[in-house]
Amino acid sequence: MNCPHAAAREAASSGGPVVIDPLVQDLDGETARLRDAGPLARIELLGVPALTVTRHALARQLLLDPRLVKDLDAWGLWQRGEVTHEWPLIGMIDAGRSMFTVDGAEHRRLRTKTSQALTPRRLEEIRPDIEKFTEELLDALAEQGEKSENGVVDLKSVFAQPLPMRVVGMLMGVDEAEHPMLMGRYRAFFSMLTPQEERLALLAELDVFYAALVRERTARPADDLTSALILAEEGGEPLTEEEVVGNLKAMVAAGHETTIGLILNAVRALLTHPHQLRRVLDGEIPWETVIEETLRWDTPTTHLLMRFATEDIRIGDDVIAKGEGVVISYRAIGRDIEHHGTDADDFDITRPTPIRHMTFGHGPHICPGAALSRVEAGIALPALFARFPGLRAAVEDEQVRRLPVMTQNDMEAFPVLLHG
């Protein structure tokens, strides 16, 4: 049986591509190998070659370069039929028409209403709702702890996962009864253990679900983002049903997956660095600093797929050839020694602030939900530790298993003891 990690190490040492492990068994090792492979590294994604960016400065440069586009038809492998819908990651690239898959003026048209719905003022308006959801889920966490024979509770399934789903569901106008279904569909879609035929069927099911929501809101508009997208007339041209569906499908995925990772990774980092946790609980270091250092050190998104070169792009001695695919490896960028210093691999909330990372992207496609994710974490984390100051992990850190997802940094579960 082949060992993916041995293959990756052999490839990196021989100057070949770094093989991205679909089972994500050694994320720290993979991050180090990518960083060691250079600013623009050759990788292999389930048999498909690509380039990835591993340095902060180069990522900022390329994310502003108009010669790198989201248009799938610019990908040489796709044009030649070497990549088809049989490739398990294609659903993250060929995801329908939305602000995530177009560039330029069309991107601005599709993005504007979403951005307007997530302004600082709007986020402050929904803060009481987020606080209410947080308290309800902390109550559920306490109840689960009392019922558990050994006091162990899964922080992910009871708290960190349902919170952002409730928030994004409220914003989009998705009934809470549908949340478990959506979380299950997205989890199966991203998992590398899901057969591709089943993954494609999941995408089709999500399209049907969101199309039905769009038609419902078209007939009976409400005070939610779905209705706002339907009624948008930027440039005199309203969004089509396909465009609204595409925006919703991607926003719900990004809107809850990213925040799950941020909350869990922050808790895990603090529990494995108790001296730093004590300084936070004593009020010496603000929660905002914890959030930014977590975003840098253990990014919710590991690899963002994908942009394509419309012409040759020279980067020093390297060339991104016309038609090549380019991935942004945010976790490697967050550990960039040239930008963050020789201690970039250390979680350290005492490092000089502001912590200048780019975990939510840069340029026109910067994550529209970045501020929302920060607000949710900024409410959830202090509330969690205020309710359960003796919180600790119920298993050794190396026993926490990651989900087999190549693009998100997520755990299968995070067993904790609420009272130490």
Side-chain angles (χ1 to χ4, degrees):
M1 181 175 178
N2 292 328
C3 173
H5 303 296
R9 286 192 293 271
E10 182 180 350
S13 63
S14 65
V18 176
V19 179
I20 305 302
D21 177 17
L23 300 182
V24 198
Q25 297 174 348
D26 180 19
L27 188 55
D28 285 343
E30 179 181 279
T31 298
R33 288 190 292 275
L34 285 169
R35 188 175 59 191
D36 293 346
L40 193 64
R42 294 212 166 267
I43 60 172
E44 185 179 303
L45 296 163
L46 300 177
V48 170
L51 290 163
T52 194
V53 184
T54 69
R55 298 291 193 275
H56 184 101
L58 181 57
R60 284 181 65 90
Q61 173 188 333
L62 290 177
L63 288 172
L64 293 174
D65 195 319
R67 297 171 295 178
L68 282 176
V69 300
K70 290 294 195 104
D71 183 2
L72 177 62
D73 289 333
W75 193 12
L77 295 176
W78 179 259
Q79 293 171 351
R80 298 189 295 272
E82 296 175 47
V83 171
T84 69
H85 281 106
E86 297 305 307
W87 187 50
L89 298 174
I90 194 63
M92 299 182 195
I93 304 171
D94 187 21
R97 184 174 173 79
S98 75
M99 63 180 170
F100 298 92
T101 59
V102 298
D103 297 282
E106 281 298 276
H107 171 257
R108 289 189 293 274
R109 183 178 73 88
L110 292 173
R111 182 183 171 106
T112 297
K113 272 296 178 183
T114 301
S115 300
Q116 290 175 352
L118 297 174
T119 61
R121 178 177 177 180
R122 176 60 172 154
L123 294 181
E124 282 305 306
E125 289 174 351
I126 66 171
R127 179 179 286 273
D129 295 297
I130 301 174
E131 291 171 345
K132 174 176 175 288
F133 296 154
T134 298
E135 289 303 314
E136 290 174 353
L137 291 170
L138 289 174
D139 290 342
L141 203 59
E143 184 179 346
Q144 287 287 325
E146 292 172 1
K147 290 180 179 178
S148 172
E149 289 185 7
N150 55 7
V152 175
V153 186
D154 177 18
L155 187 67
K156 177 179 178 178
S157 63
V158 183
F159 181 70
Q161 182 168 271
L163 175 61
M165 189 70 235
R166 282 194 187 183
V167 175
V168 77
M170 175 187 68
L171 285 170
M172 306 297 175
V174 176
D175 191 285
E176 192 169 333
E178 304 287 359
H179 294 179
M181 177 275 293
L182 287 175
M183 288 188 290
R185 296 291 191 276
Y186 281 112
R187 176 175 173 139
F189 167 72
F190 285 116
S191 173
M192 290 297 100
L193 300 181
T194 302
Q196 180 62 356
E197 183 177 337
E198 182 180 333
R199 183 178 289 105
L200 294 174
L202 288 169
L203 280 176
E205 290 175 16
L206 288 171
D207 283 338
V208 170
F209 172 81
Y210 287 116
L213 176 62
V214 170
R215 289 165 192 160
E216 165 67 20
R217 287 296 185 270
T218 301
R220 286 174 286 276
D223 182 20
D224 56 42
L225 181 55
T226 301
S227 301
L229 290 172
I230 293 166
L231 298 172
E233 294 187 358
E234 291 298 317
E237 183 182 351
L239 276 63
T240 66
E241 180 179 293
E242 178 193 4
E243 291 168 341
V244 177
V245 167
N247 272 3
L248 290 175
K249 186 167 60 176
M251 279 295 295
V252 173
H256 81 281
E257 286 288 343
T258 300
T259 309
I260 293 170
L262 172 54
I263 292 171
L264 291 178
N265 293 343
V267 174
R268 183 181 184 182
L270 290 171
L271 295 183
T272 53
H273 297 79
H275 296 298
Q276 296 190 50
L277 172 59
R278 175 44 51 198
R279 296 187 66 177
V280 177
L281 297 184
D282 288 346
E284 294 179 37
I285 297 174
W287 283 102
E288 291 81 2
T289 301
V290 174
I291 290 168
E292 297 311 313
E293 176 66 352
T294 302
L295 287 168
R296 178 202 71 81
W297 183 70
D298 206 10
T299 56
T301 299
T302 46
H303 309 290
L304 187 66
L305 313 185
M306 187 182 287
R307 286 169 169 78
F308 311 102
T310 56
E311 60 182 81
D312 289 355
I313 303 172
R314 179 164 291 282
I315 306 294
D317 294 332
D318 297 317
V319 174
I320 304 173
K322 179 181 178 180
E324 280 198 289
V326 178
V327 173
I328 310 296
S329 288
Y330 282 112
R331 199 170 192 273
I333 290 167
R335 304 286 185 98
D336 179 5
I337 292 172
E338 296 172 9
H339 184 75
H340 296 291
T342 55
D343 63 347
D345 286 328
D346 298 335
F347 176 79
D348 182 7
I349 56 176
T350 68
R351 69 178 62 248
T353 54
I355 300 165
R356 299 190 183 280
H357 63 79
M358 56 183 305
T359 293
F360 287 116
H362 182 62
H365 282 279
I366 192 169
C367 176
L372 175 62
S373 188
R374 286 183 167 106
V375 168
E376 290 179 65
I379 292 171
L381 290 169
L384 173 67
F385 281 96
R387 178 78 73 94
F388 306 111
L391 183 75
R392 68 178 177 87
V395 297
E396 296 298 322
D397 191 62
E398 58 270 17
Q399 293 178 289
V400 178
R401 295 177 57 84
R402 298 186 186 276
L403 284 175
V405 177
M406 297 181 75
T407 53
Q408 269 80 252
N409 178 8
D410 198 357
M411 309 173 194
E412 288 186 3
F414 192 17
V416 297
L417 291 163
L418 300 178
H419 303 289

